[in-house]
Amino acid sequence: KDKPIAILLLQEHISYTVNDKLSEYLGVNVKGGIEGTITNFADHEITKNIDALPFIAGSVVTNTVNNPNITVLGSISKTAYTVLNNNDPFDGQPVTIDPPVMGIVTNFPNTKIFFLGDINGMESVPQPLTENIVNWLFKYQSSTPNFFIIWED
């Protein structure tokens, strides 16, 4: 019951569909399909020593503004991305923030949740990102957590 939980939530370019139920439950609203390069990183142990990460065909997290339960760790410049398949996550509205695509969910006690809106860039096991994620998910755990890797395609 009190065993820690670690969740690695990898999304994918969501085309013509609604947010999946797990992401919705966790409070991560993903939408659309874009490509670009993640170049804006928050200072965090997961993003340590990362300069850029390809974002090949993924979704944007649309509910990060004024949301205390999500910490954005990575975003793409609002002037340097391409919308894929006419699947604009902003529905044609002016983009006022750099599209957030990577971060953590902080409102589930005893649970660490990392999310990324694109699985394609992770297929090459980019370092040091992959090592940083694993270290963060399992750091300070009093026992080995139940670990879940979830990808939505």
Side-chain angles (χ1 to χ4, degrees):
K1 177 181 173 182
D2 292 330
K3 189 168 181 142
I5 298 172
I7 298 174
L8 174 62
L9 179 63
L10 302 174
Q11 288 289 349
E12 190 55 50
H13 157 227
I14 297 192
S15 186
Y16 319 112
T17 186
V18 296
N19 200 33
D20 67 274
K21 294 297 182 189
L22 177 62
S23 296
E24 185 178 300
Y25 175 78
L26 296 174
V28 180
N29 294 340
V30 293
K31 186 175 181 180
I34 66 170
E35 70 178 349
T37 301
I38 304 171
T39 54
N40 305 319
F41 294 98
D43 185 26
H44 191 275
E45 61 190 287
I46 291 176
T47 60
K48 185 176 181 178
N49 297 322
I50 300 172
D51 296 322
L53 181 69
F55 196 80
I56 299 168
S59 295
V60 173
V61 180
T62 60
N63 66 321
T64 60
V65 176
N66 300 319
N67 186 337
N69 300 321
I70 293 178
T71 300
V72 175
L73 298 180
S75 58
I76 298 171
S77 171
K78 64 183 175 186
T79 61
Y81 70 90
T82 303
V83 172
L84 302 173
N85 301 324
N86 295 316
N87 199 6
D88 186 353
F90 304 103
D91 296 323
Q93 298 299 311
V95 180
T96 58
I97 62 169
D98 291 333
V101 295
M102 178 173 83
I104 58 176
V105 178
T106 59
N107 62 318
F108 289 88
N110 213 28
T111 303
K112 289 188 172 185
I113 303 166
F114 171 83
F115 64 84
L116 179 64
D118 176 37
I119 195 170
N120 299 305
M122 293 298 290
E123 290 174 346
S124 65
V125 191
Q127 296 298 345
L129 177 63
T130 305
E131 183 177 336
N132 293 353
I133 292 168
V134 170
N135 288 340
W136 179 80
L137 285 171
F138 293 103
K139 188 176 184 179
Y140 305 122
Q141 300 288 359
S142 58
S143 63
T144 304
N146 292 317
F147 181 63
F148 303 94
I149 298 175
I150 301 154
W151 66 92
E152 303 291 333
D153 189 7

